[in-house]
Amino acid sequence: MRVALAAAVRTLPRAAGLAYEPKFDGHRLVIVRTAEDVVLQARSGRIVTSAFPDLAAAALQLPAATVLDGEVVVWHAGRTDFALVQRRAAATAARAAVLAQSLPASYAAFDVLELAGLDLRARPYERRRALLVDLLLPLGPPLQPVPMTTDPELAATWYETLPASGIEGLVVKRLDQAYPAGRRGWQKLRHTDVRDAAVVGYTGTPRRPLALVLVLPVGDETPLVSSPLTAALRAEVAAEVASRTVTATATPTARALATVTAIGLGEVPFRPLDPPLTAEVRHTSTRHPPPEVLRLRSDL
């Protein structure tokens, strides 16, 4: 199932016929209710049903042959906590059952792609939204439709006030728009100190990455070394590295011959990644301090 994507914008779009939704800070997740069971699919296509048994159980209430698109989040202390979502996503099947009790997941659904066997992707967003609300409101948590407004002033208020609840921005869609599977047909407005960057390599070893080598979306595209990764990010990068081919720019057998200039460290060897990953980073307009990696991107 190819999901719709969003292109970044710097200002809030304002026009007739637009819908605005909060952009939740979680993991993109497609729920597929088959005739017999439930399958949970990450944006990458990986099946993650075993990591979220609580959502899988709740989705059994959906009609057979129904497909939802949305975001899985974990609420803690009044806000969504991305680190806790990562913890849930990385859990073994045995551990996931325990975490489902202590860290229950919620599903913020923002689209219905199929309903009781009827493919809705060609229908306008406005119609799909109405069907989504009718479907989920009687069920209640943990399956819930995301809030939506067509009022740009209310959307601007959301943008300014909801970050305290873990909301990272807004997603903007046309009311008359079909579901843009596999394309950046939506728009996203994030808070300005956070950007997506290309991860072209990493320092350290495949089992213990220390930092990422990034190309930022601003500047001269010179690769930069990030600040040291957290333990959770090291584990996530190591898992990603293990699942893909790491190539070198020199010879097939020498995987750490590429170098990059790191602030205060001089030339540092790194292992290239091909194809690159995408990471969400916090950075200033200068190269001091190094970019801080917030997470690997797997959602919108």
Side-chain angles (χ1 to χ4, degrees):
M1 178 66 67
R2 295 191 307 154
V3 298
L5 304 172
V9 295
R10 294 183 176 273
T11 59
L12 182 68
R14 294 172 180 264
L18 295 181
Y20 306 87
E21 299 172 350
K23 188 177 186 306
F24 282 77
D25 192 15
H27 276 206
R28 188 73 173 270
L29 193 71
V30 174
I31 294 180
V32 181
R33 173 65 164 104
T34 67
E36 300 82 18
D37 209 346
V38 170
V39 177
L40 306 182
Q41 176 194 301
R43 172 183 162 178
S44 64
R46 186 167 60 95
I47 303 304
V48 295
T49 313
S50 62
F52 298 99
D54 43 348
L55 292 186
L60 288 171
Q61 302 174 80
L62 298 171
T66 293
V67 179
L68 303 181
D69 188 8
E71 200 91 355
V72 55
V73 299
V74 173
W75 290 89
H76 177 69
R79 59 176 290 127
T80 60
D81 190 319
F82 183 75
L84 296 182
V85 179
Q86 287 181 304
R87 186 175 172 189
R88 287 290 314 266
T92 63
R95 181 63 177 159
V98 176
L99 291 179
Q101 300 298 318
S102 59
L103 299 173
S106 295
Y107 187 69
F110 45 70
D111 221 316
V112 54
L113 312 185
E114 186 175 337
L115 181 60
L118 181 63
D119 189 342
L120 302 176
R121 288 174 291 182
R123 303 274 183 100
Y125 163 81
E126 187 172 28
R127 178 58 179 157
R128 299 196 312 275
R129 170 71 190 185
L131 292 171
L132 178 69
V133 171
D134 289 345
L135 174 66
L136 294 187
L137 281 187
L139 301 182
L143 307 180
Q144 302 172 83
V146 299
M148 185 274 280
T149 183
T150 57
D151 180 354
E153 298 306 320
L154 177 56
T157 300
W158 284 354
Y159 181 73
E160 295 299 330
T161 60
L162 289 181
S165 299
I167 305 302
E168 61 176 6
L170 299 174
V171 176
V172 185
K173 306 173 182 179
R174 296 199 327 267
L175 291 171
D176 62 356
Q177 186 177 24
Y179 183 80
R183 297 185 292 107
R184 295 193 179 276
W186 299 336
Q187 296 177 303
K188 59 184 176 184
L189 177 65
R190 287 212 203 104
H191 286 271
T192 55
D193 63 340
V194 174
R195 294 285 186 270
D196 282 350
V199 182
V200 298
Y202 61 95
T203 68
T205 67
R207 291 187 176 183
R208 188 176 173 79
L210 300 178
L212 299 184
V213 180
L214 307 167
V215 174
L216 301 178
V218 293
D220 57 6
E221 297 191 354
T222 300
L224 301 174
V225 178
S226 74
S227 58
L229 300 176
T230 64
L233 278 170
R234 285 199 303 270
E236 188 176 0
V237 173
E240 187 68 38
V241 168
S243 68
R244 58 170 58 217
T245 300
V246 181
T247 61
T249 57
T251 67
T253 57
R255 293 187 173 182
L257 296 184
T259 60
V260 63
T261 301
I263 297 171
L265 298 176
E267 292 293 314
V268 174
F270 74 94
R271 299 171 186 267
L273 280 172
D274 183 21
L277 297 170
T278 302
E280 187 177 90
V281 302
R282 180 181 290 115
H283 68 98
T284 63
S285 59
T286 68
R287 297 185 181 182
H288 303 277
E292 176 191 4
V293 179
L294 302 179
R295 59 171 167 167
L296 299 184
R297 293 300 306 185
S298 60
D299 55 346
L300 277 178

